[in-house]
Amino acid sequence: MSEDKSYYFCGIGGSGMLPLAMILREHGATVSGSDRALDQGRLAAKFEWLQEKGIGLFPQDGSGLHSGGQILIASAAIEDSVPDIARANDLGCKRMTRAELLADIFNATKRSIAVGGTSGKSTVTGMIGWILTDAGLDPTIMNGAVMKNFAGDNAPFASSRVGQGEIMVSEVDESDGSIALFDPEIAVLNNISLDHKSLEELRQLFGDFAKKSKVAVWNADDAETVALVGTLDLSNDISFGFASNAHYRLSDVEEAPLGSTFTVHADNQVHRAELLVPGLHNIANALAAIAAASAAGVRVEDSVKALASFTGLARRFDIVGSQNDVSVIDDFGHNPDKIGATLKTLKAFPGRVIAFFQPHGFGPIHKMGAELAETFAELLDGDDRVILCDPVYFGGTVDRSIGSNSITDAVRAAGGKATHIADREACGDHIVNIAKPGDRIVIMGARDDSLRSFAEGILQRL
């Protein structure tokens, strides 16, 4: 990263692009960009905020690119026919992916914590960032979700934070293989499960990730992670979980609908902890954050104190509100593990579950549609319902021969109650019509920020 250079983001409103753009802008670089959602008149508040922060916004027609000295930040998957890409090619602009730019910034920091794993990355990153901030280390944080502890009137989309300290914490992505670009001091390996890549590919990526670090923090409750770590020759590692042999161990868990309490065993000491976010998966996330912060020099008791005021992330079991004894929850769940964790949290307490799911593309249905259907069928029972609309589709040449109905058909074949309604707004009508007192409605999906307004719309209509 260079403060005297100009960066242009194609897709600047994306969950990975926006926080990185803000980090560059906070460091004094010139930042501008375009976004399809901006052209379509969606998510106006987000783009107005970016403009207020001094970021120039342009239509995605190439008009924002005017010099070969600009650096284009764009997904490697974007086709050359997209006007921004074509214009950048004509001008001879240097092109980088989001991950390449982030890795340059991350690897240049004096101290670093990278959070990897198929599920829980954003939450663990937010927890570590909050612990380090509360401990006075003033970290820079790069996240893929809005961190509620850092959000406010001046930062409604706080998915990043620029600190003056010498430490940076960032989530790193295995889905595109870019995790291989990062060289962390502390590497957190939260779990390994099927998502965008095969398990064989994931084992290679996560194994290399752990081996490169000075300290590897890993999940002793995740069978895939345990098996992988057993094949690695790690010089310094810290395990966490319920397992009796974990370095950082959990016990005496007491769950509540909106939080939990539990005991942390570490360094021959015992600490009673409290969380304001629900679910066993978040207790495990908290323990991962405590272990990582400890590796960075924060005392366990200080981490426990900080986590008692951690308020969570937007779209991670995010309670939109309640009307007429019906609750609406917005959630990022999009793979079997994430969806399973959310449904288990809901099923731990009484009330029917109405689960709406918008697949984040046709590719994921090809990759894990059977596993998604199995998750819904296993965890939803009785009068619970699952409702799917068609996958979100942003264009391109992806194979669209297998759609959402393949998941609902499989759930029904297993005895569950599943409905496919192609149009999302029609799904909303159906949900409002069938909702009754005591229901919990959960809206799940990724890569589409408008899901939040969809959830809010359902709440308003109840």
Side-chain angles (χ1 to χ4, degrees):
M1 183 192 74
S2 177
E3 294 177 7
D4 59 356
K5 290 186 177 179
S6 177
Y7 298 85
Y8 188 92
F9 287 74
C10 182
I12 196 168
S15 62
M17 292 288 207
L18 184 147
L20 185 54
M22 289 305 302
I23 288 175
L24 290 172
R25 185 72 189 102
E26 291 285 340
H27 278 292
T30 300
V31 180
S32 57
S34 65
D35 198 282
R36 183 183 288 121
L38 175 65
D39 293 351
Q40 295 170 349
R42 296 188 287 116
L43 312 177
K46 175 186 289 187
F47 296 116
E48 289 172 3
W49 180 69
L50 286 173
Q51 288 180 312
E52 289 171 3
K53 293 297 182 181
I55 291 177
L57 297 178
F58 298 88
Q60 205 167 79
D61 59 4
S63 61
L65 289 149
H66 50 79
S67 166
Q70 290 174 282
I71 300 171
L72 176 69
I73 311 303
S75 166
I78 294 182
E79 297 165 348
D80 287 345
S81 59
V82 173
D84 278 351
I85 308 302
R87 177 64 174 160
N89 289 339
D90 289 344
L91 291 169
C93 297
K94 178 181 178 180
R95 179 172 173 179
M96 300 179 75
T97 65
R98 178 200 65 83
E100 288 170 341
L101 177 57
L102 174 59
D104 280 357
I105 298 170
F106 181 89
N107 293 338
T109 60
K110 187 171 182 180
R111 304 197 64 197
S112 58
I113 303 174
V115 182
T118 314
S119 301
K121 293 187 292 290
S122 297
T123 299
V124 174
T125 299
M127 287 176 166
I128 295 172
W130 183 239
I131 290 170
L132 299 180
T133 303
D134 193 66
L137 296 180
D138 199 13
T140 293
I141 309 167
M142 169 70 189
N143 210 330
V146 172
M147 299 173 285
K148 292 182 179 181
N149 287 93
F150 298 106
D153 292 341
N154 293 326
F157 304 99
S159 49
S160 63
R161 176 189 190 273
V162 175
Q164 300 305 309
E166 62 182 17
I167 191 165
M168 180 175 185
V169 56
S170 176
E171 66 169 294
V172 292
D173 193 3
E174 81 289 343
S175 67
D176 58 0
S178 62
I179 189 174
L181 300 173
F182 295 83
D183 299 314
E185 173 192 349
I186 301 164
V188 181
L189 181 46
N190 216 32
N191 44 52
I192 304 171
S193 63
L194 189 67
D195 197 337
H196 301 276
K197 292 186 176 294
S198 69
L199 285 173
E200 289 74 19
E201 292 173 297
L202 292 174
R203 290 169 188 139
Q204 184 68 50
L205 285 168
F206 286 130
D208 292 344
F209 170 65
K211 285 190 293 185
K212 284 196 297 184
S213 67
K214 293 181 179 178
V215 183
V217 179
W218 56 277
N219 187 348
D221 294 332
D222 182 63
E224 275 288 342
T225 302
V226 172
L228 176 63
V229 169
T231 68
L232 306 176
D233 184 19
L234 298 176
S235 59
N236 190 5
D237 67 295
I238 300 172
S239 58
F240 65 90
F242 287 94
S244 60
N245 60 342
H247 295 110
Y248 286 68
R249 186 169 61 84
L250 289 166
S251 71
D252 305 318
V253 171
E254 295 181 12
E255 287 192 83
L258 300 179
S260 62
T261 56
F262 53 95
T263 298
V264 177
H265 303 261
D267 300 327
N268 296 316
Q269 295 182 332
V270 176
H271 309 272
R272 192 65 180 166
E274 177 183 2
L275 273 185
L276 299 176
V277 290
L280 285 172
H281 62 295
N282 276 323
I283 297 173
N285 289 337
L287 195 60
I290 291 169
S294 179
V298 180
R299 298 185 307 169
V300 173
E301 54 264 42
D302 293 334
S303 293
V304 167
K305 177 180 70 70
L307 286 175
S309 59
F310 176 74
T311 51
L313 306 181
R315 302 217 63 235
R316 270 60 173 184
F317 207 95
D318 193 355
I319 298 172
V320 181
S322 297
Q323 290 284 357
N324 300 318
D325 198 28
V326 179
S327 297
V328 179
I329 299 155
D330 185 25
D331 191 74
F332 190 67
H334 62 278
N335 66 30
D337 264 14
K338 290 183 173 73
I339 289 172
T342 295
L343 296 181
K344 287 174 185 175
T345 300
L346 288 166
K347 294 297 291 181
F349 299 94
R352 180 173 72 156
V353 174
I354 299 175
F356 167 83
F357 177 49
Q358 176 181 277
H360 58 294
F362 288 89
I365 295 179
H366 284 266
K367 176 72 73 174
M368 54 185 169
E371 290 79 7
L372 287 165
E374 183 179 357
T375 299
F376 285 120
E378 284 186 358
L379 296 178
L380 297 178
D381 54 22
D383 201 30
D384 295 335
R385 309 290 179 90
V386 59
I387 300 159
L388 273 73
C389 68
D390 281 348
V392 63
Y393 175 61
F394 296 116
T397 56
V398 65
D399 179 3
R400 291 185 282 166
S401 61
I402 300 177
S404 298
N405 61 303
S406 65
I407 296 175
T408 54
D409 288 348
V411 173
R412 286 197 301 271
K417 296 179 179 178
T419 303
H420 167 235
I421 302 173
D423 179 69
R424 190 172 80 181
E425 292 308 311
C427 287
D429 294 338
H430 179 64
I431 291 169
V432 171
N433 287 336
I434 66 172
K436 58 188 180 183
D439 286 348
R440 284 83 51 75
I441 299 169
V442 58
I443 305 301
M444 295 186 288
R447 295 185 181 173
D448 183 357
D449 288 349
S450 69
L451 283 167
R452 176 69 183 196
S453 60
F454 177 66
E456 291 170 344
I458 288 176
L459 178 67
Q460 291 168 5
R461 295 170 57 194
L462 284 171

